[in-house]
Amino acid sequence: MMRWTHGLINRLIVFCDIVMSILAAVIARLEWEFVSWGQIAILWVVGTVIFVQLLHLGGAYRVEHYRRYKRQFLHLLIGGGPAVLVVAACYSAMIPGDLLNWQAFLGWAILASAAFLFGRYVPVNLGMWLVQRHDVLRRNAVFLGDPVRARALLDRHRQSGPRRQGLYAFLALFDDSLHEKPAGETARGDYPPVLGGLEQLLEYVQRHPIDTVIVTKSWSDPSAISALVDKLYQVPADVIVEMDPEGFSLNYAHLTMMAGEQALQVQQQPMKGSLGLLKWLEDYSVGIIGVILVSPILALAALAIKLESPGPVMFRQPRVGRNNKVFMVYKLRTMTVDPNDDGSLGTTRDNPRITRVGRFLRSTSIDELPQLFNVLKGDMSIVGPRPHVPNMIVAPSVHYQAIQHYVARYRVKPGITGWAQINGMRGGINTVEKAQRGVELDLYYIENWSIWLDFRIMLLTVATGMTGPETF
């Protein structure tokens, strides 16, 4: 009855981390005679909670990460660094000054790090190898509805990348318009065979382990879809209804009440009320702290820019902000001055105008730091969709307004970093495909915004975005 899931594996990894932290704490207590079991338990709870929560916040507990050694090491560093600092503060507060032994504390920190690395690189890696070898996460799926739509959906699934392709094994198609199994039906090309209609599906699931039933019917008759789903309640499987890719898209719609009856709200104003106040506090507090922390970096960068090439240290350029309002963004100059460049064509990697200092500033995203002043002015947020120049050209003769839903990004303030940036969208938008992908990521951020999502994005930006591969 039990099936392995991504969530179950993630919880087992959390359990492994906790076991390793317990092992390190026990060994530390055996070495520290001046620390009681109660004190070591308090330090363990504080350190473990911070470590696990930071990894949760940074999205580290995900199946696709567990066999990537460098990423595992980086995640442990992100979670372990702050945890050690907080435990050190608690340690100094709990232990009398004459009994403090920082050399022993450093030994514990090293021991704990070794325990976490051992847990991730040995049992976790072995477990993930077994998971992939035996395909325990693969789900058996069948289609019910229109076979033509099912085959089209299957084609799109095959184009979605190898990681998603391995999630399902598609076994059969069932046409709800049929009442019996077609005579002599076999698999058609690369597609599973049509094995009949709804009655045949109900018999099929009794003989075969089915995890998911995918309903593929046209939304021109919603009542037919509802009737079909009602008949599937007796099937012990997940039921997924395909949306019409060319019709009405529900996106993040939900039910609401209007005049005492149910209605469908397909859009809502983002970050309003108390959420808007929380976002405002986040922007100004992080903005002020950020300006203070990066001031020495900005001073050094300004000196390097001035020494290498003539022209201003910073430049101002128009960008499109919330509600399509144009504002002037601040950036460190990374190219030689060209008064005719309005930014609409973007910047390519081999642009000869990029200076040596500018290339370094771009690769580390230091050139974006002056946008903290835009945050304090109220034009931008710390986290949000990236701002683009008015009339930006995505491809020859294609402006960003031509991309469906692109302007929906302007429902919120643009940000210095964002969900799109930490998912590989750093740099210029120079293809229609990249623009469309950016829109999908930005809309996901807008519809799923929370203060914790912002903290996660900021954490991942510092950990990977500032030192990621150079992109334009």
Side-chain angles (χ1 to χ4, degrees):
M1 292 295 295
M2 192 200 80
R3 291 300 305 270
W4 287 86
T5 64
H6 288 74
L8 176 59
I9 291 177
N10 292 334
R11 293 182 184 93
L12 289 175
I13 304 302
V14 173
F15 178 75
C16 178
D17 286 344
I18 293 175
V19 169
M20 293 298 105
S21 67
I22 292 175
L23 178 63
V26 170
I27 295 176
R29 170 61 185 85
L30 297 177
E31 293 293 328
W32 295 356
E33 297 180 355
F34 52 87
V35 180
S36 67
W37 282 107
Q39 290 171 325
I40 203 71
I42 293 175
L43 296 176
W44 170 78
V45 169
V46 171
T48 302
V49 168
I50 293 175
F51 176 81
V52 172
Q53 288 301 316
L54 283 176
L55 291 190
H56 269 302
L57 190 63
Y61 289 116
R62 295 180 64 87
V63 170
E64 59 265 28
H65 297 327
Y66 300 142
R67 296 205 71 189
R68 299 181 180 180
Y69 296 108
K70 291 183 179 179
R71 182 165 295 184
Q72 292 255 58
F73 180 82
L74 179 62
H75 287 162
L76 296 178
L77 184 65
I78 292 173
V84 168
L85 293 177
V86 175
V87 171
C90 295
Y91 171 68
S92 62
M94 293 171 52
I95 308 301
D98 56 337
L99 294 179
L100 285 175
N101 187 337
W102 290 110
Q103 185 176 359
F105 182 86
L106 178 61
W108 164 81
I110 296 174
L111 176 65
S113 301
F116 282 124
L117 288 173
F118 173 82
R120 291 301 187 93
Y121 287 170
V122 180
V124 169
N125 188 60
L126 176 61
M128 291 308 302
W129 178 79
L130 292 173
V131 165
Q132 294 180 0
R133 178 179 177 84
H134 297 286
D135 287 328
V136 298
L137 292 176
R138 180 171 293 185
R139 295 292 178 260
N140 293 331
V142 296
F143 294 98
L144 174 63
D146 183 353
V148 175
R149 293 176 64 92
R151 295 184 184 106
L153 177 60
L154 186 54
D155 287 337
R156 295 194 299 273
H157 176 77
R158 289 168 176 169
Q159 297 171 3
S160 62
R163 184 175 67 85
R164 292 185 178 180
Q165 289 179 23
L167 295 178
Y168 293 101
F170 298 102
L171 304 182
L173 284 75
F174 295 88
D175 187 343
D176 67 305
S177 64
L178 299 178
H179 300 287
E180 59 183 15
K181 182 177 179 178
E185 174 67 25
T186 59
R188 175 180 169 184
D190 294 333
Y191 305 107
V194 177
L195 300 183
L198 178 61
E199 295 300 324
Q200 286 70 40
L201 169 62
L202 298 179
E203 296 174 0
Y204 186 86
V205 297
Q206 295 177 1
R207 303 189 305 269
H208 302 84
I210 299 300
D211 302 293
T212 306
V213 178
I214 305 171
V215 178
T216 55
K217 283 189 69 66
S218 172
W219 277 84
S220 60
D221 187 3
S223 60
I225 296 178
S226 178
L228 200 59
V229 170
D230 286 341
K231 296 177 182 178
L232 292 174
Y233 279 132
Q234 59 184 297
V235 177
D238 296 335
V239 177
I240 299 175
V241 180
E242 178 208 16
M243 291 301 300
D244 193 337
E246 297 180 356
F248 176 67
S249 176
L250 289 178
N251 290 328
Y252 303 98
H254 64 272
L255 291 176
T256 186
M257 298 300 294
M258 178 63 64
E261 298 180 354
Q262 286 188 335
L264 191 64
Q265 181 174 342
V266 297
Q267 180 174 304
Q268 62 180 347
Q269 179 183 349
M271 305 177 196
K272 58 183 177 182
S274 58
L275 295 181
L277 176 61
L278 191 62
K279 181 71 168 176
W280 181 86
L281 291 173
E282 172 197 317
D283 286 338
Y284 279 91
S285 58
V286 175
I288 293 172
I289 295 172
V291 168
I292 295 173
L293 294 178
V294 305
S295 292
I297 299 176
L298 289 175
L300 291 174
L303 179 60
I305 293 171
K306 204 66 178 176
L307 291 176
E308 183 178 24
S309 62
V313 170
M314 291 201 302
F315 76 95
R316 299 165 69 242
Q317 198 173 60
R319 292 289 191 272
V320 182
R322 184 176 182 270
N323 203 22
N324 290 295
K325 179 182 177 181
V326 177
F327 68 98
M328 302 302 291
V329 73
Y330 301 118
K331 294 186 68 173
L332 291 173
R333 181 172 59 83
T334 59
M335 306 171 68
T336 56
V337 177
D338 180 0
N340 298 318
D341 183 6
D342 62 358
S344 62
L345 295 176
T347 303
T348 58
R349 181 184 299 273
D350 56 351
N351 193 313
R353 290 176 51 215
I354 300 175
T355 64
R356 288 177 298 175
V357 171
R359 191 169 297 278
F360 172 77
L361 296 179
R362 283 175 174 267
S363 65
T364 56
S365 298
I366 292 176
D367 64 317
E368 310 283 355
L369 294 180
Q371 291 168 32
L372 288 168
F373 297 107
N374 286 113
V375 173
L376 298 181
K377 285 182 60 180
D379 295 326
M380 295 179 62
S381 290
I382 297 295
V383 181
R386 286 295 294 152
H388 295 299
V389 299
N391 299 318
M392 182 189 71
I393 298 177
V394 174
S397 302
V398 178
H399 289 70
Y400 68 88
Q401 292 98 332
I403 307 299
Q404 187 180 21
H405 303 310
Y406 203 93
V407 294
R409 305 165 69 254
Y410 303 137
R411 295 162 58 199
V412 299
K413 290 181 182 179
I416 299 177
T417 185
W419 183 245
Q421 279 62 51
I422 66 170
N423 281 280
M425 292 295 297
R426 290 182 63 212
I429 305 296
N430 45 29
T431 66
V432 174
E433 292 76 16
K434 189 174 182 181
Q436 291 172 335
R437 174 60 175 160
V439 170
E440 293 173 2
L441 294 169
D442 286 334
L443 292 183
Y444 173 87
Y445 167 79
I446 293 172
E447 300 294 344
N448 294 274
W449 180 84
S450 70
I451 193 69
W452 305 116
L453 179 59
D454 275 4
F455 285 158
R456 175 184 175 187
I457 292 171
M458 287 186 279
L459 184 66
L460 289 175
T461 298
V462 174
T464 59
M466 297 293 287
T467 57
E470 182 177 3
T471 57
F472 291 84

